[in-house]
Amino acid sequence: MKKSILVSACLLGLNTRYDGQTKECAAVLTFLLQHNLRPIPICPEQLGGLPTPRSACSFSRGDGEAALKGCGELRSTEGQILTQHFISGAQQSLKIALITGCTQALLKERSPSCGVCNVYQGTLKINGKGVTTALLSHHGIQVFSEENLTACRT
Ligand code: SF4
């Protein structure tokens, strides 16, 4: 049986991004095929109740780890505080991982939900995790991005 892996839906070619576009990644699709992995698409921001298209969001304080501890904050470009949507989307994504038996996740770098090594605070790129990456990591799920496919333990 193929091993299942959570994958950011936008990397698979689904139009889930804030601007209604996709970030389909040929390297990801090839990687999944080569490693005989069954992708389980997730978009934490949609799962958290945000519409598509939606306003771009970034951290106004902290990163995903901080958001889970209650001291981080996410805002839209219009200044609306949306932290709870991001936390809810992370919780729903974790549920999907548990239901489908995924122990790994391949997520989109720099996204406020899915970022693995970097996210944005306003327009500034910082070291930090997205909210979903942080929550999945707390539950022992290995998370790596499309920019570091070699980090996958297969
Ligand atoms: Fe892609 Fe993740 Fe953003 Fe959804 S939340 S559009 S899956 S990067």
Side-chain angles (χ1 to χ4, degrees):
M1 200 167 94
K2 281 189 175 186
K3 188 170 161 186
S4 296
I5 180 170
L6 291 187
V7 184
S8 292
C10 57
L11 290 175
L12 294 171
L14 295 166
N15 292 67
T16 55
R17 270 171 50 102
Y18 72 95
D19 55 3
Q21 299 298 305
T22 168
K23 272 295 204 182
E24 183 170 322
C25 178
V28 165
L29 299 176
T30 303
F31 174 86
L32 293 168
L33 272 177
Q34 280 174 343
H35 291 81
N36 201 30
L37 295 166
R38 175 171 169 256
I40 306 292
I42 55 157
C43 176
E45 289 167 25
Q46 289 184 340
L47 287 164
L50 294 172
T52 304
R54 54 190 172 274
S55 296
C57 291
S58 67
F59 288 92
S60 36
R61 275 201 316 268
D63 72 339
E65 292 285 3
L68 293 179
K69 287 180 190 145
C71 51
E73 183 184 77
L74 287 130
R75 289 182 187 245
S76 68
T77 44
E78 292 81 25
Q80 194 182 2
I81 298 173
L82 295 170
T83 316
Q84 201 47 50
H85 287 279
F86 284 79
I87 292 173
S88 171
Q91 291 167 337
Q92 295 292 302
S93 300
L94 174 62
K95 272 192 192 175
I96 292 173
L98 297 175
I99 291 166
T100 55
C102 289
T103 57
Q104 292 179 307
L106 199 180
L107 303 185
K108 175 79 190 75
E109 190 58 277
R110 291 180 291 282
S111 144
S113 292
C114 298
V116 178
C117 296
N118 300 112
V119 291
Y120 281 97
Q121 254 181 22
T123 55
L124 186 70
K125 188 170 79 171
I126 61 163
N127 293 331
K129 292 176 183 169
V131 183
T132 294
T133 296
L135 187 66
L136 294 176
S137 301
H138 288 187
H139 289 265
I141 295 169
Q142 187 213 3
V143 186
F144 58 99
S145 81
E146 81 283 11
E147 295 183 0
N148 192 13
L149 294 172
T150 55
C152 175
R153 293 191 300 262
T154 51

